[in-house]
Amino acid sequence: MPNLSDHLHPDLAARALGADRPARSGGELIVLWIRGAMRAQSNPALEAAIELSTALDVPLLCYQALDDRHPYASDRMWRFVLDGARELARGLEARGVRYAFHLVRPGHRVPALRDLAARSAAVVCDVHPVEPVRGWTDALAAQVDAPIVEVDASCVVPLTETRKPYERAFAFKNATKKARKRWLGWEPEERAAPARYGGALPFEPLDLEGDLDAAIAECEVEHGIGPIAHTRGGSSEGYARWDAFVERGLARYARTRNDALRDGVSRMSAYLHFGMVSALRIAAEAERFGGAGAEKYLDELLVWREVAWHFCHHRRDIDTVASLPEWAQETLAEHADDERPRLLSWDALAHAASGDALWDAAQTSLLRQGELHNNLRMTWGKALLEWTRGPEECLARLLDLNHRYALDGRDPSSYGGILWCLGQFDKPFPPEGAIRGTVRERTTRVHASRLDVGRYAARVERPASGEALRVAVVGAGLVGVAAARALDDAGHDVCVFTDGIAAPDAGTIEFDAWDPRFLRFVEAWETEGLASRGGVDGRWTADAAALVERCARGLTVRSEAALESIHASGAASTLHFAGGRTGGSFDAVLVALPPERASALLDEDAPTYDAVTGVGHAWSEAVEPGWLAGRALAGHVLRASLHRSARVPLG
């Protein structure tokens, strides 16, 4: 029986891993498992799947999933992917290819991919050599007999062209010179439509033309990290941004790319990460454009981006300090016990509260805009060596912050940039310094001397929706401050009304913390001495009033007379207090009070967040459910603000 590679065009076979096995006998279909190649054109993985489907005379099904148990699942990532999936579905349908999207959430948790793969002749997917995708691939291979063929749809020089990881960009550039000449300008030939898979599916596909906001609300993701208005998912959005850059920025890229205050970069990384645009097409167009700007852009795209991809492909330890060059490991270890000026908790770092103006502005860009200028990312990353307990904690913090907030997080290119901060793809820079050893120094003080930090901060501090909403939160307990904190982080104008209760009664409370979305906050509170593990059955303990006071720090909190009613009219809601006082007009009101109290305040016809603005209610007496309920309540407003926003660019 011939191997799968025998059925592929030589160029596609040259980009394929795992094609040296025959198809599974009796397979009913070919499954194209889409992970990071969300496009209907210029997609080697798609063309390989079509070619195998045709050659083996079995139908093709394109399958994609989002599982809300993903460690960095958020409204931000889910909305970007679902917008892209909506466009991908239309593009595949136009080519006659069936596509089914599985949104894994409560009530929809079934092993759909495993069941489909078990019935398949082969599973084709795009290579994505980072976790958790790499682990998912390994798990599927252990569960089914069907061969899994991974096709490089992300790099110009295929991952199959190298046999080892390169620790210096110039060495990778020299080693791949011939391959780069061969592949630059190559595009996969678009195949004719295969037979469509018409069998039953082991899951209910998401209606991508339906209400995506409602679907996201059903998922157990981090709702407090909201979507980004100026960066919408989809191939057309990505290529529109690329075309604008070619027209206005590519010629001057070499001169302007390092200035975070100029629109000198392409901002294509999120679209490249999810494969909504093709690096093959972009590289070919940049080469045709020519000139110094295009030459430098191609160096970044084909050398610095791809050395990171090839490095991650050949290493399984990229989340650890062990992936660094030996010299970097040694020098960082020698200085691991050096005294740090101060240690900062995850909470302080995540919420841009380091006290360093430049660093906080950079983190605010991640927190609110979902992106960080690459030149500034290098300074942002190196600063954490001084604020963490050692290189291991530093790397873990950098990966968490980048993966959690950046749309281009969890990408080999992200790993390349973050590991560079600790010496990867670099050389020693003597003399030794405290903490960093001989790792290249790059301080926020020096960077701030060449950047107007105030202007940069003003640029990134505005909400991702482009417009700050006025939001009232009624109730200053844990639910209320969790909601208010998320909205304040997003840049909205938030006012918390106590409704007569500023915080829970003082005293020690015990609570569970199992959900990762909540646990990371609890661990940050532990670092600050606000919570400790040691209650009954290993539960957490904290002083309730102190905890709420800490979470409300920096928020505007108002104590008014008794609140009597909330009236919503059109796009505005008004709070009415005893004595005829009003609390002002708000774009949205969140009621974080017990149900019986909330029902007494709300009009029967009060709008909810099906509209752009309105009134929402959430409550839970339990600590973990209460915190998550508050974040979910904020998520309704953040999603609504996406529709209200004007489509303004970051700049």
Side-chain angles (χ1 to χ4, degrees):
M1 183 178 292
N3 288 335
L4 291 167
S5 58
D6 296 328
H7 300 294
L8 294 174
H9 185 280
D11 286 346
L12 292 176
R15 303 184 74 87
L17 300 162
D20 55 351
R21 291 176 55 192
R24 188 178 73 84
S25 178
E28 304 171 19
L29 74 162
I30 294 292
V31 175
L32 173 60
W33 176 18
I34 298 174
R35 293 107 65 98
M38 294 182 62
R39 58 186 187 274
Q41 281 78 39
S42 189
N43 185 342
L46 172 60
E47 303 309 334
I50 293 175
E51 200 162 76
L52 289 178
S53 171
T54 302
L56 298 173
D57 196 24
V58 291
L60 173 64
L61 172 70
C62 293
Y63 169 89
Q64 187 175 2
L66 279 179
D67 191 324
D68 61 5
R69 292 165 291 188
H70 187 291
Y72 299 106
S74 68
D75 278 25
R76 176 169 299 172
M77 191 202 310
W78 261 222
R79 183 69 207 213
F80 188 77
V81 172
L82 288 176
D83 279 343
R86 175 180 280 172
E87 184 174 350
L88 175 60
R90 296 168 183 168
L92 290 174
E93 184 61 34
R95 291 193 60 181
V97 177
R98 186 180 181 188
Y99 171 66
F101 193 99
H102 184 198
L103 187 65
V104 183
R105 60 201 190 279
H108 297 266
R109 302 195 194 284
V110 293
L113 178 60
R114 185 193 66 190
D115 292 351
L116 290 168
R119 307 200 317 256
S120 71
V123 176
V124 180
C125 52
D126 52 277
V127 185
H128 203 75
V130 300
E131 297 297 344
V133 178
R134 179 177 262 164
W136 296 340
T137 310
D138 293 343
L140 184 65
Q143 293 169 347
V144 300
D145 293 331
I148 298 175
V149 180
E150 294 184 281
V151 181
D152 186 351
S154 298
C155 295
V156 173
V157 174
L159 298 172
T160 53
E161 292 277 3
T162 57
R163 296 291 179 267
K164 67 175 185 178
Y166 288 88
E167 293 185 345
R168 297 301 302 275
F170 73 85
F172 171 79
K173 183 176 182 179
N174 291 337
T176 56
K177 182 177 180 179
K178 290 182 179 179
R180 195 161 46 254
K181 185 176 181 180
R182 174 195 170 189
W183 289 100
L184 184 56
W186 177 84
E187 288 272 3
E189 179 184 348
E190 197 164 294
R191 272 70 179 167
R196 290 171 65 97
Y197 178 69
L201 298 175
F203 65 99
E204 180 184 352
L206 180 68
D207 178 9
L208 289 165
E209 297 297 337
D211 187 342
L212 298 183
D213 287 332
I216 292 171
E218 294 176 3
C219 299
E220 293 181 347
V221 303
E222 172 53 271
H223 296 295
I225 302 175
I228 306 296
H230 56 65
T231 304
R232 305 283 182 92
S235 294
S236 61
E237 293 278 347
Y239 285 125
R241 178 171 290 187
W242 168 248
D243 290 342
F245 174 69
V246 170
E247 180 183 349
R248 298 192 294 268
L250 184 55
R252 54 189 178 90
Y253 175 76
R255 302 191 310 273
T256 62
R257 67 187 185 91
N258 287 333
D259 188 345
L261 282 173
R262 300 183 68 175
D263 296 324
V265 295
S266 66
R267 298 175 58 226
M268 294 298 297
S269 57
Y271 298 101
L272 286 165
H273 169 61
F274 288 103
M276 295 173 185
V277 299
S278 168
L280 296 163
R281 171 178 159 180
I282 286 175
E285 292 183 4
E287 185 186 39
R288 287 195 295 271
F289 187 89
E295 182 179 353
K296 183 58 183 174
Y297 189 84
L298 286 170
D299 185 64
E300 295 292 321
L301 183 69
L302 302 181
V303 179
W304 284 99
R305 176 177 181 269
E306 297 204 355
V307 69
W309 272 82
H310 285 252
F311 182 85
C312 291
H313 173 61
H314 291 291
R315 298 291 295 253
R316 303 285 300 208
D317 57 357
I318 57 174
D319 292 278
T320 71
V321 171
S323 66
L324 297 174
E326 288 187 10
W327 71 264
Q329 293 184 53
E330 291 172 0
T331 194
L332 291 172
E334 289 171 0
H335 292 271
D337 295 328
D338 289 1
E339 183 178 355
R340 267 60 179 167
R342 56 200 171 110
L343 296 175
L344 295 176
S345 70
W346 172 86
D347 189 68
L349 293 169
H351 298 100
S354 75
D356 182 297
L358 178 63
W359 196 93
D360 288 344
Q363 178 59 25
T364 297
S365 183
L366 277 179
L367 187 65
R368 296 188 182 176
Q369 312 303 332
E371 64 183 62
L372 182 55
H373 190 282
N374 188 56
N375 187 262
L376 189 51
R377 192 193 305 257
M378 294 186 285
T379 303
W380 167 88
K382 285 182 176 288
L384 260 67
L385 273 172
E386 294 193 353
W387 299 337
T388 51
R389 291 176 177 84
E392 293 83 4
E393 183 177 283
C394 176
L395 178 59
R397 287 278 191 266
L398 288 172
L399 291 174
D400 180 85
L401 295 174
N402 188 75
H403 292 358
R404 191 171 303 284
Y405 297 109
L407 281 171
D408 67 354
R410 312 154 307 280
D411 187 86
S413 297
S414 293
Y415 278 93
I418 288 171
L419 291 172
W420 181 88
C421 296
L422 301 180
Q424 187 59 266
F425 309 124
D426 207 358
K427 63 181 180 180
F429 276 78
E432 291 188 42
I435 302 173
R436 66 176 178 84
T438 56
V439 170
R440 184 195 299 253
E441 186 176 34
R442 188 182 173 99
T443 68
T444 56
R445 177 184 57 80
V446 171
H447 200 139
S449 70
R450 62 176 188 268
L451 178 71
D452 187 329
V453 177
R455 282 183 59 204
Y456 176 73
R459 179 188 178 106
V460 300
E461 283 174 354
R462 68 187 186 192
S465 61
E467 175 187 9
L469 301 179
R470 294 200 67 226
V471 184
V473 176
V474 180
L478 196 63
V479 178
V481 297
R485 183 85 275 156
L487 291 166
D488 184 75
D489 286 344
H492 295 292
D493 184 6
V494 185
C495 183
V496 181
F497 292 87
T498 65
D499 193 43
I501 304 175
D505 293 336
T508 300
I509 54 173
E510 290 192 357
F511 57 93
D512 293 313
W514 303 108
D515 193 304
R517 294 173 294 167
F518 178 59
L519 185 59
R520 71 176 187 274
F521 288 98
V522 177
E523 291 171 343
W525 299 336
E526 180 185 32
T527 302
E528 297 183 24
L530 292 168
S532 62
R533 193 191 295 269
V536 177
D537 297 326
R539 303 181 79 201
W540 293 82
T541 62
D543 180 273
L547 189 60
V548 172
E549 181 182 358
R550 165 63 182 86
C551 295
R553 188 181 302 165
L555 298 174
T556 300
V557 181
R558 288 172 54 182
S559 297
E560 295 279 358
L563 180 62
E564 293 185 338
S565 63
I566 301 170
H567 293 289
S569 176
S573 297
T574 306
L575 277 59
H576 295 269
F577 297 91
R581 287 176 50 81
T582 62
S585 179
F586 296 91
D587 299 304
V589 177
L590 308 185
V591 182
L593 298 172
E596 62 276 9
R597 174 68 178 126
S599 62
L601 296 173
L602 301 177
D603 293 335
E604 291 184 2
D605 59 348
T608 61
Y609 294 107
D610 292 333
V612 172
T613 59
V615 177
H617 166 256
W619 178 256
S620 175
E621 293 183 359
V623 176
E624 182 179 81
W627 181 267
L628 296 176
R631 304 283 287 187
L633 195 58
H636 286 294
V637 177
L638 295 175
R639 288 190 298 273
S641 69
L642 186 72
H643 302 290
R644 178 187 177 110
S645 69
R647 292 297 301 281
V648 294
L650 177 60

